[in-house]
């Protein structure tokens, strides 16, 4: 290019071109230089997008017969959404209209399942505030953990993995604001309201020893009337060479579900480390008798990088809202808190 005096001037190259990035030109999304259709581009990406959408929408159809792969998928189901931005970048680089259109399917499926959990929680405090926390049997600061849980001014606190050695520390700290409590085995319940009819609940899988006591039931006498409160700690699951090991957890969930079905109180609150998410079909016997919580992902495990909420606050004939994770304590779980409207 020359100026008015005939001198050549440099033409600045576009920024993307200077970086070596080849951007699509006019018409490059629809046809190539020979005029052939490009809609066949990205068919593999489109197929992957459809697969992700199917796994989201029909996760219950994935069989659990080998390695309980269905439960494993459902444990981390929200994270399938991460496939969408990855496929989007690939579709843009591939300049594939087909892949871009196919991506609408997983976006719609993820939004249907999890978008209701996204709205910010209301700041209003109404109803009972409940806290659920697996405090870990190797927690070196039980007193500090108890004080941390009291910062949200709870009406109910459920704890798991409370060993006899540290029980006095929890009793001392929590009694400052929650004067009523009950402990069975390694699970405990602290309450601002009187507790009646406290008894253990048998959720022990076959083959476990007689000292395995990890569930209790009590009636909390609240100003709104009596409420049955269940605290449970289901067996752990493991991921190994043979897949997702959850047989003991599933058996225990069936026993807990039977206890909830037999509960005579109309209003029920379930607090516990259920070692499973509410999407995991292994908890179906429990979820048949209590409703899932309202907005909030509230991932609770592992505390160092939470990827799943396996600690649950669920209820029957009551609404569980404002579910959120609390700051880390000395445990490998994060505490979770929720408001329960009776």
């Amino acid at each position: 290019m020359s100026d008015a005096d005939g001198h050549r001037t440099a033409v600045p190259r576009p920024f993307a071109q200077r970086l070596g990035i080849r951007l699509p030109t006019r018409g490059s999304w629809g046809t190539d230089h020979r005029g052939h259709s490009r809609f066949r581009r990205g068919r593999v990406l489109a197929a992957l997008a459809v697969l992700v959408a199917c796994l989201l929408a029909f996760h219950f159809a994935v069989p659990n017969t080998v390695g309980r792969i269905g439960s494993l998928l459902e444990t981390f189901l929200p994270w399938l959404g991460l496939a969408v931005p990855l496929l989007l970048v690939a579709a843009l680089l591939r300049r594939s209209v087909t892949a871009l259109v196919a991506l609408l399917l997983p976006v719609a499926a993820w939004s249907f399942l999890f978008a209701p959990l996204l709205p910010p929680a209301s700041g209003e405090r109404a109803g009972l505030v409940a806290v659920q926390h697996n405090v870990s049997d190797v927690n070196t600061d039980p007193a500090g953990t108890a004080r941390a849980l009291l910062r949200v001014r709870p009406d109910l606190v459920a704890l798991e993995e409370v060993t006899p050695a540290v029980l006095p520390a929890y009793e001392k700290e929590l009694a400052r604001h929650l004067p009523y409590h009950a402990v069975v085995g390694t699970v405990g319940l602290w309450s601002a309201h009187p507790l009646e009819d406290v008894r253990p609940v048998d959720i022990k899988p076959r083959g476990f020893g007689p000292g395995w006591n990890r569930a209790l039931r009590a009636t909390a006498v609240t100003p709104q009337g009596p409420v049955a409160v269940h605290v449970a700690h289901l067996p752990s699951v493991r991921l190994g060479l043979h897949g997702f090991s959850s047989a003991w957890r599933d058996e225990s969930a069936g026993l807990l579900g039977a206890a909830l079905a037999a509960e005579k109180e109309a209003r029920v609150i379930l607090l516990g480390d259920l070692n499973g998410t509410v999407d995991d079909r292994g908890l179906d016997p429990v979820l048949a008798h209590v409703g899932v919580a309202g907005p909030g992902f509230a991932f609770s495990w592992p505390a160092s990088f939470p990827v799943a909420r396996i600690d649950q606050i669920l209820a029957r004939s009551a609404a569980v809202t404002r579910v959120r994770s609390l700051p880390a304590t000395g445990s490998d779980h994060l505490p979770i808190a929720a408001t329960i409207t009776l």
Side-chain angles (χ1 to χ4, degrees), residues 162-211:
V162 180
T163 62
V166 298
L167 177 59
Y170 288 113
E171 290 176 327
K172 177 181 178 181
E173 295 298 330
L174 293 175
R176 300 176 190 274
H177 300 282
L178 303 171
Y180 307 98
H181 82 280
V183 177
V184 170
T186 57
V187 300
L189 173 66
W190 277 259
S191 172
H193 309 291
L195 298 176
E196 299 178 349
D197 195 16
V198 177
R199 59 179 184 268
V201 176
D202 185 10
I203 62 168
K204 181 173 58 181
R206 292 184 299 272
F208 280 45

Side-chain angles (χ1 to χ4, degrees), residues 8-198:
R8 296 184 61 84
T9 59
V11 179
R13 293 185 298 166
F15 180 72
Q17 187 177 348
R18 293 201 303 271
L19 293 179
I21 301 174
R22 181 184 176 188
L23 296 175
T25 59
R26 179 177 299 180
S28 66
W29 289 88
T31 59
D32 59 19
H33 67 280
R34 294 187 299 271
H36 296 160
S37 172
R38 295 184 185 266
F39 283 93
R40 290 180 295 178
R41 275 185 171 180
R43 286 181 292 182
V44 172
L45 294 176
L48 290 174
V50 172
L51 175 61
V52 172
C54 289
L55 290 175
L56 284 165
F58 306 107
H59 56 88
F60 50 84
V62 177
N64 230 9
T65 52
V66 179
R68 283 181 163 76
I69 193 68
S71 284
L72 177 60
L73 168 67
E74 290 161 341
T75 298
F76 304 104
L77 195 61
W79 294 95
L80 273 182
L82 292 179
V84 172
L86 296 177
L87 291 173
L88 175 61
V89 171
L92 291 173
L93 293 175
R94 185 65 175 155
R95 303 197 296 276
S96 170
V97 175
T98 302
L100 289 175
V101 172
L103 274 174
L104 295 176
L105 294 175
V107 170
W110 194 94
S111 298
F112 177 79
L113 290 173
F114 301 113
L117 300 179
L118 293 176
S122 168
E124 294 183 8
R125 174 190 171 97
L128 299 175
V129 174
V131 170
Q132 149 61 29
H133 192 26
N134 180 327
V135 294
S136 175
D137 55 6
V138 293
N139 190 331
T140 59
D141 186 18
T145 297
R147 289 192 294 268
L149 302 182
L150 290 175
R151 290 185 188 126
V152 297
R153 298 164 54 204
D155 300 282
L156 297 170
V157 169
L159 303 181
E160 296 81 44
E161 295 196 13
V162 180
T163 62
V166 298
L167 177 59
Y170 288 113
E171 290 176 327
K172 177 181 178 181
E173 295 298 330
L174 293 175
R176 300 176 190 274
H177 300 282
L178 303 171
Y180 307 98
H181 82 280
V183 177
V184 170
T186 57
V187 300
L189 173 66
W190 277 259
S191 172
H193 309 291
L195 298 176
E196 299 178 349
D197 195 16
V198 177

Side-chain angles (χ1 to χ4, degrees), residues 97-340:
V97 175
T98 302
L100 289 175
V101 172
L103 274 174
L104 295 176
L105 294 175
V107 170
W110 194 94
S111 298
F112 177 79
L113 290 173
F114 301 113
L117 300 179
L118 293 176
S122 168
E124 294 183 8
R125 174 190 171 97
L128 299 175
V129 174
V131 170
Q132 149 61 29
H133 192 26
N134 180 327
V135 294
S136 175
D137 55 6
V138 293
N139 190 331
T140 59
D141 186 18
T145 297
R147 289 192 294 268
L149 302 182
L150 290 175
R151 290 185 188 126
V152 297
R153 298 164 54 204
D155 300 282
L156 297 170
V157 169
L159 303 181
E160 296 81 44
E161 295 196 13
V162 180
T163 62
V166 298
L167 177 59
Y170 288 113
E171 290 176 327
K172 177 181 178 181
E173 295 298 330
L174 293 175
R176 300 176 190 274
H177 300 282
L178 303 171
Y180 307 98
H181 82 280
V183 177
V184 170
T186 57
V187 300
L189 173 66
W190 277 259
S191 172
H193 309 291
L195 298 176
E196 299 178 349
D197 195 16
V198 177
R199 59 179 184 268
V201 176
D202 185 10
I203 62 168
K204 181 173 58 181
R206 292 184 299 272
F208 280 45
W212 198 91
N213 299 304
R214 299 199 340 189
L216 67 81
R217 177 256 184 239
T219 299
V221 184
T222 75
Q224 293 80 25
V227 181
V229 183
H230 288 248
V231 180
H233 184 191
L234 301 189
S236 299
V237 298
R238 294 288 185 268
L239 181 60
L241 295 177
H242 300 290
F244 195 62
S245 176
S246 63
W248 286 336
R249 190 279 311 272
D250 296 350
E251 182 181 350
S252 190
L255 296 171
L256 178 58
L260 294 172
E263 179 58 61
K264 292 182 172 56
E265 289 290 349
R267 293 182 293 191
V268 178
I269 296 173
L270 171 62
L271 307 162
D273 174 4
L274 303 188
N275 271 303
T277 70
V278 293
D279 297 306
D280 187 341
R281 71 194 69 178
L283 297 186
D284 283 353
V286 174
L287 298 175
H289 305 288
V290 288
V292 299
F297 279 101
F299 293 147
S300 64
W301 180 88
S304 57
F305 187 79
V307 296
R309 188 207 305 171
I310 63 175
D311 297 89
Q312 305 295 343
I313 300 177
L314 309 170
R316 182 174 79 199
S317 298
V320 181
T321 59
R322 294 194 63 219
V323 186
R324 66 268 191 204
S325 302
L326 300 180
T329 65
S331 171
D332 57 340
H333 291 238
L334 293 181
I336 65 167
T339 300
I340 304 173

